[in-house]
Amino acid sequence: MPSRCRFRGLLVAGHLGRVRTLALDNSEEDKTQAELIENMDKKATWDRFYAESRSKTTTFKNFEWFFGFDAVRDFIMPLLQTESHPGAVLQVLDMGCGTSALGPCIFRHSAQPVRVTCADISPIAVQLMQEHVQAKAIQPHNLCSQLEFVELDCTQLHRHCGYSSVDLIVDKGTTDALLRSKEGRGKASLVLKQCLKVLRSSGSLLQFSDEDPDARLLWLETEAQEPGGMAADVGVQEVGEWGNLQGKLKVVGMSGVTLKWKEQPDGKVFHKEGQSSQKKFKKKTEL
């Protein structure tokens, strides 16, 4: 009998390719943007992106894909409340963290002790976040919590995380970046399989995406199922829509359906379970 792992898919309306803030050189904006999107699976692309971003300003600013922590905290924080192991340090992985404030915000706000690992393939992004957190002297809500930033290729999570050791993996745009890249689909598949290996059987993987839900669910169904592999419950909820081309999210609410990942007599895996409730978010987070 395969073990079960909870998948939570939170999908955002919009198109990643339209976000103008990804352009690295305004004089060649269209060409640069196209090159970036085609090569978002490559370390050199992100090293260049963060190096050029750093060179343009002396004031650090978190770069957020889609939205910040406050827009999704009500999805994340309940997953960090456990009754089965009270007081246990929960292992949280922010996969492909870039310079997002998401991981540090989990560290700051979790009443449950957590060890938050913010991992990115770019050492420049990792250094920027390490320097920023040290300068801000960010303190945890729980004194037993820990926060670390590591350079890590997420197709090789097993090199940093032990098998079945992680309680929560947050993927905010990382899989989207890989799937949109010219040569990234194979890497996206490897990342998903690595997530399944390092997650506990009670763990959760949150994927934040602007992809069509049907397309993402089909991809998950195809890529994640292996003989003797891990079964999963999959939930999909829409949490907002793009407000402008700078990537500032105007969150207007959420609606969606919950789906259970299990094979049905007709051979299909995904079926609608029910309609989710609506909830509004208005805040924007930055460290």
Side-chain angles (χ1 to χ4, degrees):
M1 176 71 67
S3 57
R4 300 195 65 81
C5 170
R6 295 193 301 270
F7 273 96
R8 309 289 176 109
L10 307 180
L11 294 107
V12 185
H15 297 283
L16 186 59
R18 293 191 296 144
V19 183
R20 292 294 191 183
T21 50
L22 295 182
L24 302 179
D25 186 342
N26 289 333
S27 63
E28 299 181 351
E29 184 174 329
D30 293 337
K31 179 181 177 181
T32 303
Q33 184 173 321
E35 289 177 353
L36 174 62
I37 293 173
E38 287 184 357
N39 295 284
M40 291 191 294
D41 62 314
K42 295 178 174 59
K43 174 180 177 296
T45 299
W46 295 111
D47 284 345
R48 178 187 172 195
F49 174 74
Y50 290 115
E52 295 202 12
S53 298
R54 178 174 58 183
S55 68
K56 291 177 181 178
T57 179
T58 58
T59 303
F60 176 86
K61 184 177 178 63
N62 296 108
F63 181 85
E64 300 290 354
W65 292 94
F66 307 142
F67 40 69
F69 171 75
D70 284 314
V72 291
R73 65 183 297 167
D74 286 348
F75 295 108
I76 294 175
M77 301 314 288
L79 298 177
L80 302 177
Q81 299 172 5
T82 175
E83 296 180 359
S84 57
H85 299 88
V89 178
L90 299 177
Q91 304 296 318
V92 179
L93 173 65
D94 182 1
M95 184 176 68
C97 64
T99 56
S100 169
L102 185 66
C105 282
I106 294 174
F107 171 73
R108 284 179 56 199
H109 293 283
S110 176
Q112 180 80 9
V114 292
R115 178 185 177 90
V116 181
T117 299
C118 300
D120 199 272
I121 197 171
S122 171
I124 299 175
V126 170
Q127 181 183 3
L128 284 170
M129 288 303 293
Q130 287 174 330
E131 293 174 351
H132 176 63
V133 168
Q134 290 173 2
K136 284 281 192 176
I138 296 172
Q139 299 300 313
H141 183 88
N142 189 300
L143 295 179
C144 294
S145 291
Q146 303 170 56
L147 176 66
E148 65 174 349
F149 298 89
V150 299
E151 179 187 351
L152 181 65
D153 181 343
C154 291
T155 63
Q156 302 177 32
L157 289 179
H158 66 280
R159 292 193 173 186
H160 185 83
C161 307
Y163 176 78
S164 190
S165 64
V166 182
D167 297 285
L168 173 63
I169 297 177
V170 180
D171 171 359
K172 187 157 76 82
T174 300
T175 294
D176 283 45
L178 294 175
L179 290 174
R180 283 171 168 80
S181 301
K182 191 174 182 179
E183 302 173 358
R185 293 193 69 86
K187 294 178 182 178
S189 178
L190 285 175
V191 168
L192 179 60
K193 289 177 172 62
Q194 286 283 298
C195 288
L196 292 177
K197 288 180 179 179
V198 303
L199 272 174
R200 300 186 193 276
S201 60
S202 60
S204 298
L205 168 62
L206 298 185
Q207 283 195 353
F208 299 96
S209 171
D210 72 343
E211 187 176 22
D212 179 85
D214 291 335
R216 178 55 58 87
L217 290 172
L218 178 60
W219 181 81
L220 285 169
E221 179 183 28
T222 302
E223 298 296 333
Q225 286 195 8
E226 293 181 339
M230 190 175 283
D233 295 335
V234 183
V236 180
Q237 293 177 311
E238 186 173 300
V239 297
E241 65 180 8
W242 287 108
N244 55 44
L245 294 180
Q246 281 68 45
K248 179 180 179 182
L249 183 72
K250 178 182 178 183
V251 179
V252 297
M254 74 173 189
S255 61
V257 295
T258 300
L259 300 98
K260 295 293 185 180
W261 188 349
K262 57 186 177 182
E263 189 169 347
Q264 303 295 325
D266 59 7
K268 295 182 179 179
V269 173
F270 293 105
H271 288 266
K272 294 181 180 180
E273 280 278 318
Q275 191 72 20
S276 68
S277 60
Q278 293 194 355
K279 189 165 187 174
K280 293 185 178 180
F281 303 90
K282 295 182 179 179
K283 295 182 180 178
K284 177 181 177 183
T285 297
E286 182 176 314
L287 288 178

